[in-house]
């Protein structure tokens, strides 16, 4: 009896292990879920003007939100079938890994270290890191001027590393890091004088600058930030479907309309006219 019990236990353990390895099963992938359920949960920012904002009535708006709506529609999911979930920089990978969201469209730069945890479709746009300071600040005019200055370290974001990390990944500038939970908190700290600069993607900065306040963007871009659509690791079929949707979004003119709608008034911001080169889903 003891031998039989051990055999059954080993069988159960093996079955559990096989189940755990079954993440690549296409029946649980993005395309099939969209087709069968007509529902998707999409992670977006809710506090980034012009990109992802939750309005007082509970509805969502912004460039990333509109891109997510377009992709969902191409997958066969109407807007009424979308559940929006607030997603900050720090929890994008965990939400996808835990199945709390099906997609993340939230200023999510495609990085090699992130590819180890999730699969990316896109990019759907390439942003460029820049610097924003208070309007009366003349002491910072270029990246090198951030030496000794207080810059924001937003939780889960890698933007500050482009300043402080050594070459080739960063500039090796000894700036002082001030922690914040999200970029909306960075802007509050900048306005209140507890920060000297916020450095992140120009689209994020342009969105906050458009909301008022005495800020200026330096217009000195120094990185390429490829915004991707995050999904469960290994979902190649879903990635290819998302890439098809992004290609169509540029081809049918929707991308140009959305970019003009959300960023057309941003001074000095160069908006793309063609679809960025896709990363591929291998």
């Amino acid at each position: 009896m003891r031998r039989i019990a051990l055999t059954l236990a080993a069988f159960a353990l093996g079955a559990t292990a096989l189940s755990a390895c079954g993440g690549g099963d296409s029946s649980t992938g993005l395309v099939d879920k969209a087709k069968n359920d007509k529902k998707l949960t999409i992670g977006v920012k809710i506090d980034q003007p012009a990109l992802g904002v939750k309005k007082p009535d509970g509805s969502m708006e912004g460039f990333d939100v509109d891109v997510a709506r377009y992709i969902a529609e191409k997958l066969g999911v109407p807007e009424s079938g979308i559940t929006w979930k607030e997603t900050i920089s720090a929890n994008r990978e965990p939400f996808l890994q835990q199945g709390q969201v099906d997609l993340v469209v939230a200023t999510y730069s495609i990085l090699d270290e992130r590819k180890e945890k999730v699969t990316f479709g896109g990019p759907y746009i390439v942003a460029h890191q820049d610097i924003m300071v208070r309007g009366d600040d003349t002491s910072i005019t270029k990246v090198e001027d951030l030496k000794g200055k207080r810059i924001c370290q937003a939780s889960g974001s890698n933007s500050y590393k482009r300043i402080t990390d050594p070459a080739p990944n960063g500039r090796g500038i000894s700036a002082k890091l001030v922690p914040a939970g999200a970029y909306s908190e960075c802007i509050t700290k900048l306005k209140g004088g507890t920060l000297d600069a916020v450095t992140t993607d120009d689209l994020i900065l342009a969105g906050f600058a458009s909301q008022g306040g005495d800020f200026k963007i330096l217009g000195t871009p120094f990185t390429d930030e490829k915004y991707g659509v995050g999904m469960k690791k290994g979902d190649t079929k879903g990635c290819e479907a998302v890439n098809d949707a992004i290609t169509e979004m540029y081809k049918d003119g929707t991308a140009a309309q959305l970019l003009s709608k959300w960023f057309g008034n941003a001074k000095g911001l160069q908006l793309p006219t063609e679809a960025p080169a896709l990363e591929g889903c291998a």
Side-chain angles (χ1 to χ4, degrees):
M1 290 295 294
R2 183 173 180 274
R3 196 175 292 117
I4 292 172
L6 289 172
T7 301
L8 289 173
F11 177 81
L13 182 61
T16 301
L18 287 172
S19 174
C21 294
D25 184 354
S26 62
S27 64
T28 60
L30 176 67
V31 172
D32 290 321
K33 179 174 182 181
K35 179 181 178 181
N36 296 330
D37 298 347
K38 302 297 181 185
K39 294 180 181 179
L40 288 174
T41 300
I42 303 178
V44 292
K45 300 288 183 70
I46 69 167
D47 62 351
Q48 288 189 344
L51 286 157
V53 173
K54 187 174 184 178
K55 298 169 66 177
D57 63 3
S59 62
M60 299 296 304
E61 69 173 17
F63 177 70
D64 279 358
V65 173
D66 283 344
V67 169
R69 286 191 181 106
Y70 185 94
I71 291 172
E73 182 181 0
K74 291 299 180 182
L75 292 172
V77 177
E79 185 171 354
S80 60
I82 298 174
T83 298
W84 302 107
K85 186 173 180 67
E86 178 185 2
T87 305
I88 62 174
S89 297
N91 61 24
R92 290 176 295 201
E93 284 94 12
F95 275 10
L96 287 166
Q97 292 171 324
Q98 297 162 11
Q100 294 193 45
V101 296
D102 301 301
L103 292 173
V104 169
V105 188
T107 60
Y108 201 3
S109 295
I110 301 173
L111 302 175
D112 287 341
E113 57 265 35
R114 290 172 177 167
K115 287 182 179 180
E116 296 176 2
K117 301 175 183 179
V118 303
T119 289
F120 282 102
Y124 57 91
I125 192 171
V126 179
H128 307 282
Q129 188 164 338
D130 210 323
I131 300 167
M132 187 163 77
V133 299
R134 287 182 295 277
D136 60 354
D137 190 339
T138 58
S139 67
I140 302 173
T141 60
K142 56 186 182 300
V143 177
E144 289 74 19
D145 293 337
L146 293 177
K147 181 178 180 180
K149 299 292 187 178
R150 299 166 297 174
I151 66 172
C152 201
Q153 181 184 12
S155 177
S157 174
N158 290 295
S159 293
Y160 72 94
K161 293 182 179 181
R162 304 285 191 270
I163 305 298
T164 59
D165 277 9
N169 296 321
R171 295 298 186 97
I173 296 171
S174 55
K176 299 175 182 178
L177 301 178
V178 178
Y183 277 109
S184 56
E185 185 179 342
C186 293
I187 302 304
T188 300
K189 288 178 180 290
L190 179 62
K191 186 176 183 179
T194 55
L195 275 177
D196 299 308
V198 177
T199 175
T200 189
D201 306 349
D202 51 8
L203 296 181
I204 296 175
L205 297 176
F208 281 115
S210 70
Q211 299 301 296
D214 188 16
F215 302 123
K216 62 182 178 184
I217 301 173
L218 298 187
T220 56
F222 55 92
T223 67
D224 289 339
E225 304 297 333
K226 302 175 182 179
Y227 284 3
V229 179
M231 64 200 78
K232 188 176 181 180
K233 177 68 175 176
D235 189 356
T236 303
K237 185 178 178 181
C239 175
E240 290 172 346
V242 167
N243 281 351
D244 288 344
I246 292 170
T247 299
E248 184 63 25
M249 183 176 69
Y250 276 86
K251 189 179 296 185
D252 67 15
T254 299
Q257 293 173 8
L258 295 179
L259 287 166
S260 177
K261 171 184 176 182
W262 294 110
F263 305 110
N265 294 326
K267 295 180 180 179
L269 189 63
Q270 298 295 318
L271 297 176
T273 57
E274 298 180 356
L278 299 175
E279 289 280 297
C281 301

